[in-house]
């Protein structure tokens, strides 16, 4: 009789724990024609990364359903003598949820709080420098809804990167596609930020 009672308590506690989890999770990258899926410092926290002889760019993110907000981390490393610019003003965002989404805030993780919020979101990445940007993306607060079904849907973020050499400048758009997924084990962004 005690074993059945313990089993019942165990099942009830598991059900209670699972039903009280926050509605949100990680954005899991989807493989595109170019680029590669990479891990961050920990195995199960993954990002999408593009590499060439001039720079590398990596993006990862999380989501939550209450206000439909997304948190992206964009990491870019300059490997050349040229000037590299990331224009976060001209990012393009789209979602299979058909929600109106916009960039709500951009922060430069290399600057101390509270001065790290960026107003001019065209960032220059110096030679042999890695910069980390945090992006808060979501719907306008007046349009907030709850209990939206996110899982199985996708979001696309396009980031333009400009390389300036001598008198020429070339801008290329880099696409990052993610699907809304459950929480994965936590990861720290320390250590080697670019694989």
């Amino acid at each position: 009789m005690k074993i059945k009672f313990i089993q019942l308590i165990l099942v009830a506690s598991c059900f209670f724990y699972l039903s009280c989890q926050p509605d949100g999770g990680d954005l899991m990258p989807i493989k595109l024609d170019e680029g590669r899926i990479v891990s961050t410092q920990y195995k199960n926290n993954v990002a999408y990364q593009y590499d060439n002889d001039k720079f590398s760019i990596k993006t990862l993110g999380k989501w939550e359903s209450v206000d439909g907000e997304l948190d992206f981390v964009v990491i870019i490393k300059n490997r050349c003598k040229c000037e590299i610019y990331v224009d976060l003003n001209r990012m393009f965002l789209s979602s299979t949820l058909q929600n109106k989404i916009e960039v709500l805030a951009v922060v430069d993780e290399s600057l101390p709080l509270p001065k790290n919020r960026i107003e001019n979101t065209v960032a220059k990445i110096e030679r042999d420098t890695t910069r980390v940007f945090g992006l808060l993306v979501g719907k306008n607060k007046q349009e907030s809804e709850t209990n939206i079904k996110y899982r199985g849907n996708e979001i696309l973020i396009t980031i333009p990167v400009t390389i300036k050499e001598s008198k020429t400048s070339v801008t290329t758009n880099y696409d990052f596609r993610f699907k809304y997924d459950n929480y994965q084990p936590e990861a720290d962004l320390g250590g080697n930020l670019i694989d």
Side-chain angles (χ1 to χ4, degrees), residues 33-195:
D33 292 339
E34 297 177 13
R36 61 192 174 112
I37 296 174
V38 296
S39 65
T40 55
Q41 193 173 13
Y42 294 91
K43 182 178 179 182
N44 290 328
N45 194 293
V46 292
Y48 203 74
Q49 181 170 318
Y50 291 94
D51 299 292
N52 58 44
D53 60 337
K54 301 196 183 309
F55 69 91
S56 293
I57 185 169
K58 176 193 280 188
T59 302
L60 61 146
K62 294 192 177 300
W63 65 277
E64 59 87 15
S65 69
V66 176
D67 290 321
E69 288 180 353
L70 304 161
D71 290 305
F72 283 102
V73 175
V74 177
I75 305 163
I76 185 162
K77 180 176 185 175
N78 185 345
R79 294 191 158 112
C80 66
K81 296 179 181 178
C82 51
E83 296 176 354
I84 295 179
Y85 296 87
V86 179
D87 190 348
L88 301 173
N89 288 319
R90 294 191 305 122
M91 279 191 319
F92 173 76
L93 296 156
S94 65
S95 169
T96 56
L97 291 169
Q98 304 300 318
N99 291 340
K100 181 181 178 185
I101 48 180
E102 59 187 65
V103 177
L104 304 175
V106 178
V107 295
D108 186 339
E109 301 291 343
S110 63
L111 298 175
L113 290 169
K115 296 182 179 181
N116 64 349
R117 189 173 176 127
I118 298 174
E119 298 301 326
N120 178 10
T121 53
V122 179
K124 180 180 179 181
I125 294 85
E126 304 288 342
R127 179 182 181 189
D128 295 324
T129 301
T130 299
R131 290 193 59 191
V132 180
F133 302 97
L135 308 175
L136 177 61
V137 176
K139 298 184 300 175
N140 186 303
K141 293 295 184 192
Q142 287 83 19
E143 299 174 11
S144 294
E145 299 173 16
T146 57
N147 301 319
I148 297 173
K149 304 298 181 192
Y150 284 87
R151 287 176 184 83
N153 282 287
E154 298 176 7
I155 186 159
L156 172 73
I157 179 169
T158 301
I159 302 174
V161 179
T162 301
I163 300 173
K164 291 188 179 179
E165 288 185 281
S166 302
K167 297 179 181 179
T168 63
S169 109
V170 176
T171 300
T172 305
N173 290 327
Y174 289 88
D175 292 329
F176 299 88
R177 185 178 295 274
F178 297 91
K179 75 172 182 175
Y180 294 87
D181 202 355
N182 296 322
Y183 283 108
Q184 302 296 316
E186 286 294 317
D188 182 7
L189 290 176
N192 187 7
L193 294 175
I194 291 288
D195 294 340

